[in-house]
């Protein structure tokens, strides 16, 4: 039996190897936050649990590695930026596998959003959703929480949501009181 204590982070790499030209830069920010001893940002990175594959690997080899990483996860942190919905290979595959096979809750983090997301999700953010996520939420196949790119709220979501403690709704939001408690204005 696989121990499922990791957080799987999904993002659109846009076929880039330059980390400044895709959402991998946000993934690298999280790794930096984690490496700082004085920070609360601590998670078990599912990507560290499985050997890396080369960029030149065949799609099926990459997918096998992604499945292994997702299988070892308790939740998924999906980074959504301007190009995420245009990814037509790995991001939809990761979302569908996480939802349908592993039943993971998804923490949806909008990488260019600096404001609280309360009451409802603005249309400008809904337009960024990958179709695989949108369909799963519409059919109540997944439980999600939608948050901005703020370290404290990401830490809170990683603590709050896992396989055994899923968000209550397909499209969940933190209440204003959670942001107030975290001093996020």
């Amino acid at each position: 039996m696989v121990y499922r204590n990791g957080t799987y982070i999904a993002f659109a790499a846009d076929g880039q190897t330059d980390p400044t030209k895709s959402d991998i830069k946000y993934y690298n920010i999280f790794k930096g936050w984690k490496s700082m001893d004085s920070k609360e940002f601590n998670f078990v990175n599912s990507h560290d649990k499985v050997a890396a594959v080369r960029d030149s690997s065949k799609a099926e080899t990459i997918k096998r590695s992604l499945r292994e990483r997702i299988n070892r996860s308790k939740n998924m942190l999906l980074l959504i930026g301007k190009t995420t919905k245009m990814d037509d290979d790995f991001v939809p595959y990761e979302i569908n596998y996480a939802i349908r096979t592993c039943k993971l809750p998804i923490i949806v983090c909008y990488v260019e959003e600096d404001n609280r997301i309360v009451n409802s999700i603005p249309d400008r953010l809904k337009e960024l959703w990958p179709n695989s996520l949108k369909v799963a939420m519409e059919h109540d196949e997944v439980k999600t929480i939608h948050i901005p790119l703020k370290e404290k709220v990401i830490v809170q979501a990683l603590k709050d949501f896992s396989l055994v403690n899923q968000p209550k709704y397909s499209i969940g939001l933190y209440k204003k009181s959670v942001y107030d408690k975290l001093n996020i204005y």
Side-chain angles (χ1 to χ4, degrees):
M1 185 172 152
V2 176
Y3 191 57
R4 296 178 72 174
N5 66 338
T7 293
Y8 185 87
I9 302 175
F11 53 88
D14 303 328
Q16 294 286 332
T17 55
D18 180 346
T20 64
K21 294 185 178 178
S22 75
D23 289 344
I24 196 170
K25 63 186 165 218
Y26 301 106
Y27 171 70
N28 287 333
I29 288 170
F30 295 159
K31 289 186 349 183
W33 286 346
K34 184 179 185 224
S35 71
M36 296 174 68
D37 291 334
S38 63
K39 293 285 186 172
E40 280 187 38
F41 197 85
N42 194 11
F43 66 102
V44 176
N45 186 348
S46 291
H47 292 284
D48 292 341
K49 293 176 141 198
V50 175
V53 292
R54 294 187 311 270
D55 291 339
S56 61
S57 297
K58 291 183 180 180
E60 189 48 45
T61 302
I62 294 170
K63 287 181 179 179
R64 184 173 45 252
S65 178
L66 297 176
R67 286 191 304 268
E68 196 173 337
R69 294 170 188 189
I70 296 168
N71 285 336
R72 295 169 183 255
S73 301
K74 65 180 179 177
N75 54 27
M76 174 185 270
L77 177 60
L78 175 61
L79 306 180
I80 294 189
K82 291 177 185 173
T83 63
T84 309
K85 78 184 245 176
M86 293 179 266
D87 187 303
D88 61 358
D89 55 9
F90 296 118
V91 170
Y93 181 80
E94 292 164 308
I95 291 170
N96 285 322
Y97 188 79
I99 292 170
R100 292 184 176 82
T101 302
C102 298
K103 310 296 186 211
L104 297 181
I106 299 185
I107 301 163
V108 181
C109 180
Y110 299 93
V111 298
E112 295 182 14
E113 184 62 29
D114 205 29
N115 299 312
R116 299 173 175 203
I117 303 171
V118 292
N119 301 324
S120 66
I121 298 173
D123 288 341
R124 65 183 162 70
L125 296 180
K126 290 179 183 179
E127 292 171 7
L128 301 173
W129 291 346
N131 194 53
S132 52
L133 177 66
K134 180 180 176 185
V135 168
M137 290 186 303
E138 287 172 351
H139 292 97
D140 198 25
E141 296 173 325
V142 63
K143 302 302 182 196
T144 65
I145 187 79
H146 296 254
I147 60 174
L149 181 68
K150 294 284 197 180
E151 183 181 2
K152 288 181 181 179
V153 75
I154 294 168
V155 168
Q156 189 66 50
L158 292 174
K159 287 179 186 175
D160 288 347
F161 302 112
S162 67
L163 277 166
V164 296
N165 192 27
Q166 303 251 346
K168 293 183 178 161
Y169 306 101
S170 284
I171 302 175
L173 302 169
Y174 276 128
K175 294 179 180 182
K176 179 184 176 296
S177 60
V178 173
Y179 288 99
D180 288 346
K181 180 180 136 195
L182 297 171
N183 293 317
I184 296 174
Y185 297 100

